[in-house]
Amino acid sequence: MSTPIPIYLVNQTDLAKDHADGQAWAQATGFKADPSTVCLVPGPEGNLAKVLVGKPDPVDTWTLGNLAKTLPPHTYTLADEWPAATATKLWLGWCLGRYSFTPYKRQSPPPAAELVPPAGADTAYVTTTVAATTLVRDLITTPAGDMGPEQLQAAAQKLCDRHLANLTTLAGDELIEQNYPMIHAVGRAYTQAPRLLDITWGNPDAPKVTLVGKGVCFDTGGLDIKPAAGMKLMKKDMGGAANALGLAEMIMGLHLPVRLRVLIPAVENSIADNALHPLDVVPSRRGLTVEVGNTDAEGRLVLADALWEAVCEEPGPQLVVDFATLTGAARIALGTELPACFSNRPELANTLLTCGLAVDDPLWQLPLHQPYRSMMDSSVADLSNISNSSFGGSITAALFLQEFIRPEIPWVHLDLMAWNVRSLPGRPEGGEAMGIRAMFELIRQTVANG
């Protein structure tokens, strides 16, 4: 086995002080140690002697995110010692940068560079987080023709099998019999029956955490059909479910001492003679009636039935979290790379934002502005699924969901893109895990360690 090639993170001061042997080469190649730039320094025999990488301030998870695919396919090692937390971030970013989605390609991807695990890095955390992120990315990026409710159930079963968790499923007319009418109404027009996936894991006496993920495996918009441009990426509309499963992978894989429950309403919002009509009124699990002002606002309907199930468990969970690709309004407000979070506990949201910054998985809080609730009043039902205003759509959607949360239950709602529209270090274009590392840290700090 050849000796690993050293990688040095350097700024201009480091370059002048510690790398005189490579300074002439750096000048010749135009390397100025700008953050994330790279200089390959040859040895006297023309071999690759070392790699210089521009050091950002601060060093973060994505500092080495491009290198696995851009460096020559050799084995490398970090030349400098780093604190354990930083070493963990650097290795995680490197490993996430190795990801490629290749099931539909004839050719295998070119070999990637390897990094020796840095000293002090949390091996279990990196391995599990990479597995969780890979699961999320694979599920979202898989075409909808191969990732319907049945296939999403199969993926959930594989996750349960790996971790000795239990999965129960209600499908088709069982949803009516067991009082999940909105999940059934949204998904009944598709050839694969709508279903509710219910995963449980952990000691029943441990603190309870319940995750809910929007599993709309494809969204045509229903009879309020989307235009082609709006429908193109709708295979990602189950990104909330994928992220909930990814977070479950982290919780179970790292053995957090919680009783975990995951609820995923898995449907396709399709078009057929039995599809929901605009202005239909449907009952909900809570008992409220909902006027369907727009059949393309279906995600909140399936989430509402699942959320009411989550908060009515006795004794109640200590935390309920839902993940959903819910509104374009959140993307307009914050862009595609920054998920919006809402919570009925301001201190919980503040802790989540802090956790996100600590693990380079940022979120941004938007308000549950109660005066907007009246915008969803209906003249014929208890409430409408859409606002009577075109403004503040992510807030009114969150307020709709809050109608299905018992106020004594701490709740966090994440409205996320679940898709990288551009490739960034460690984050290639395609399906993406968003918020799960931040949420894992929040659960670890506030629930698991009680």
Side-chain angles (χ1 to χ4, degrees):
M1 180 178 178
S2 59
T3 302
I5 299 167
I7 296 175
Y8 295 87
L9 298 184
V10 298
N11 54 31
Q12 289 185 346
T13 300
D14 300 325
L15 184 61
K17 178 183 175 183
D18 300 324
H19 297 279
D21 59 331
Q23 201 163 11
W25 181 259
Q27 291 176 351
T29 57
F31 179 72
K32 299 179 181 179
D34 294 331
S36 299
T37 58
V38 178
C39 180
L40 306 182
V41 181
E45 298 180 1
N47 59 308
L48 179 56
K50 61 182 174 181
V51 177
L52 305 179
V53 178
K55 181 168 59 177
D57 185 19
V59 173
D60 66 8
T61 300
W62 312 116
T63 299
L64 306 180
N66 276 340
L67 297 191
K69 290 185 177 179
T70 57
L71 288 180
H74 303 309
T75 300
Y76 298 83
T77 186
L78 294 184
D80 299 312
E81 292 187 6
W82 294 93
T86 305
T88 299
K89 286 186 175 186
L90 289 170
W91 191 28
L92 176 62
W94 176 289
C95 293
L96 292 177
R98 291 172 53 88
Y99 176 84
S100 293
F101 184 77
T102 60
Y104 299 88
K105 289 184 175 289
R106 293 177 62 188
Q107 293 185 336
S108 300
E114 299 284 349
L115 181 68
V116 175
D122 187 335
T123 302
Y125 177 84
V126 171
T127 301
T128 303
T129 303
V130 170
T133 305
T134 298
L135 173 65
V136 175
R137 291 173 174 177
D138 285 352
L139 289 174
I140 298 171
T141 309
T142 298
D146 294 329
M147 187 50 66
E150 292 175 0
Q151 290 81 15
L152 189 56
Q153 177 181 337
Q157 185 65 63
K158 288 181 180 179
L159 176 67
C160 291
D161 291 344
R162 285 197 301 274
H163 298 288
L164 302 180
N166 182 65
L167 171 65
T168 59
T169 304
L170 296 174
D173 289 344
E174 291 177 319
L175 293 168
I176 298 295
E177 296 165 5
Q178 299 298 320
N179 192 28
Y180 296 94
M182 291 202 292
I183 299 174
H184 184 274
V186 170
R188 69 193 182 201
Y190 188 47
T191 54
Q192 292 187 21
R195 62 205 62 212
L196 178 66
L197 313 180
D198 189 346
I199 297 170
T200 53
W201 172 88
N203 183 344
D205 297 325
K208 291 184 177 181
V209 172
T210 300
L211 312 178
V212 180
K214 175 187 169 185
V216 178
C217 295
F218 191 79
D219 182 15
T220 67
L223 292 180
D224 288 314
I225 191 168
K226 294 176 181 287
M231 203 186 300
K232 184 177 181 180
L233 267 184
M234 283 301 100
K235 69 177 183 178
K236 78 172 186 65
D237 212 22
M238 41 66 69
N243 273 272
L245 291 174
L247 178 54
E249 175 80 68
M250 292 186 70
I251 291 171
M252 294 187 289
L254 292 169
H255 308 290
L256 283 193
V258 299
R259 197 303 301 262
L260 176 67
R261 189 181 190 192
V262 184
L263 293 167
I264 294 176
V267 303
E268 177 167 321
N269 187 23
S270 195
I271 298 173
D273 57 2
N274 63 339
L276 278 173
H277 306 92
L279 299 188
D280 276 354
V281 175
V282 293
S284 68
R285 184 167 182 79
R286 183 185 170 185
L288 298 175
T289 55
V290 179
E291 184 179 27
V292 182
N294 191 315
T295 64
D296 195 21
E298 83 299 331
R300 64 199 68 182
L301 299 177
V302 299
L303 283 171
D305 271 356
L307 283 170
W308 191 247
E309 166 62 21
V311 299
C312 287
E313 184 179 3
E314 293 294 346
Q318 291 184 230
L319 177 65
V320 171
V321 180
D322 76 79
F323 294 85
T325 53
L326 204 62
T327 69
R331 313 289 79 77
I332 292 170
L334 301 176
T336 60
E337 295 163 15
L338 191 60
C341 74
F342 299 81
S343 180
N344 60 357
R345 299 288 192 277
E347 68 283 359
L348 190 64
N350 289 337
T351 302
L352 176 60
L353 298 186
T354 301
C355 289
L357 292 176
V359 297
D360 302 320
D361 191 18
L363 307 107
W364 198 266
Q365 185 181 6
L366 294 179
L368 288 166
H369 187 57
Q370 296 302 320
Y372 289 175
R373 166 59 185 84
S374 61
M375 295 179 180
M376 290 179 296
D377 288 344
S378 166
S379 61
V380 300
D382 293 319
L383 73 163
S384 172
N385 74 327
I386 61 168
S387 166
N388 61 18
S389 169
S390 60
F391 301 106
S394 61
I395 297 174
T396 53
L399 290 169
F400 178 89
L401 296 180
Q402 192 176 25
E403 292 292 311
F404 300 88
I405 297 293
R406 290 165 52 194
E408 65 271 22
I409 303 293
W411 165 62
V412 177
H413 161 55
L414 296 186
D415 188 339
L416 64 158
M417 180 70 174
W419 188 270
N420 293 323
V421 299
R422 59 174 180 163
S423 290
L424 294 168
R427 294 151 290 176
E429 181 181 346
E432 185 59 288
M434 294 183 169
I436 68 171
R437 290 181 291 114
M439 190 60 67
F440 176 86
E441 189 64 20
L442 174 76
I443 294 168
R444 186 186 68 80
Q445 289 186 18
T446 64
V447 180
N449 293 332

